[in-house]
Amino acid sequence: MRKRNESVTVEHERAAAAAVPGPLDKGCSLRRSLRLPASAAAEGMKRPLGRRYGLWFRLRKLILWLLGMYIAIPFLVKLCPAIQAKLVFLNFVRVPYFIDLKRPQDQGLNHTCNYYLQPEEDVTIGVWHTVPAALWKNARGKDQLWFEEALGFSHPVILYLHGNAGTRGGDHRVELYKVLSSLGYHVVTFDYRGWGDSIGSPSERGMTYDALHVFDWIKARSGDNPVYIWGHSLGTGVATNLVRRLCERETPPDALILESPFTNIREEARSHPFSIYRYFPGFDWFFLDPITTSGIKFANDENVKYISCSLLILHAEDDPVVPFHLGKKLYNIAATSRSFRDYKVQFVPFHTDLGYRHKYIYRSPELPRILR
């Protein structure tokens, strides 16, 4: 009996020992229980790889889209020259926004009157007339008739022709009106057809005719007072078109002032720092020929050969829009032209350190002396 009981006890102990794992087996079983399934591990690795692949796919798609647009735009411009014309005029860019052009006093021009003239049927242009500072007090509360009569007072008149984009209420333009007014000038400026609140479709011919209409309107009221024409940027093209026509009909202005001028619109477009297609194969065919097809030339270099009045050219060396060398080149053409042999031709550069760039020459303290 005792042996049997001992054998039963030994078997129970063996069974218990077999049921309880040893130290090694215990560690292995814990590691086995902590190990992730193979499918879950693979899934975890795929997530960052998939995320990186998705990002690269989207980036590559964006690059291809931009490249496609870059290549497509030249063909689009070639097929539709009107696009290039809009890029030259930029008349759809109206800055500053949300201003009422009928109220020049909102821009600090309390001595300015707003007119509307009609150069042609279905064309109406908005005009601002700023009187000299000496007439500010008298101008308060006066109507359009008084302002028109004031052109006949003993003060010179400047017809200002602005560049592309914006309106007659542009910030730098308003500041120039104030400077010229303080120097004793009437300043008459306007928005070409298609700009600001002026009605009509823009074109080089139309812009020139608008300027001619305003000039004749001034001359009919200014008597013997000197009338000068000041063009800025694209407005220099309008100015030389106008003055050439005036000289041909033997009614030249007393002087022509060109601020930041170019030679012609093709050279300006080719030299424009913002043109990302300058080195594109066939640039002239794709971009410059459509400008000519649209009837846009603004040939300052040709016009100055037929102008017979004093000429003043102002240009900043750090001009980022119309390169300085184009203004200098235009001066060299004018200075050697026979039409100017009896008139003064002057070129005034403004050093880069002054920071006048494309539209801040009005800040120069030397401007009164230069104009005199």
Side-chain angles (χ1 to χ4, degrees), residues 297-370:
K297 296 179 180 178
F298 292 115
N300 290 336
D301 50 355
E302 281 298 312
N303 289 337
V304 294
K305 297 175 183 177
Y306 300 91
I307 289 175
S308 51
C309 68
S310 296
L311 173 64
L312 171 64
I313 296 178
L314 311 173
H315 214 137
E317 293 178 354
D318 58 339
D319 191 328
V321 178
V322 180
F324 177 78
H325 71 86
L326 290 184
K328 187 68 174 177
K329 182 177 179 180
L330 181 64
Y331 165 74
N332 292 332
I333 294 171
T336 57
S337 174
R338 290 182 180 179
S339 63
F340 284 106
R341 60 189 171 189
D342 297 326
Y343 299 94
K344 186 175 182 180
V345 179
Q346 187 177 3
F347 181 83
V348 180
F350 295 88
H351 197 271
T352 301
D353 294 344
L354 296 171
Y356 294 156
R357 298 171 67 80
H358 184 60
K359 53 188 181 182
Y360 302 114
I361 287 177
Y362 72 84
R363 295 176 178 173
S364 173
E366 296 296 313
L367 196 57
R369 179 190 59 79
I370 292 169

Side-chain angles (χ1 to χ4, degrees), residues 163-215:
N164 65 356
T167 67
R168 61 190 184 275
D171 294 339
H172 66 282
R173 294 163 186 164
V174 168
E175 293 305 316
L176 178 62
Y177 310 155
K178 293 177 181 178
V179 169
L180 295 177
S181 173
S182 69
L183 296 176
Y185 297 97
H186 288 275
V187 181
V188 178
T189 186
F190 67 95
D191 281 322
Y192 317 104
R193 59 186 73 187
W195 272 260
D197 58 354
S198 297
I199 298 170
S201 299
S203 67
E204 181 175 353
R205 186 207 68 82
M207 295 164 71
T208 303
Y209 191 81
D210 293 345
L212 178 62
H213 181 81
V214 177
F215 178 84

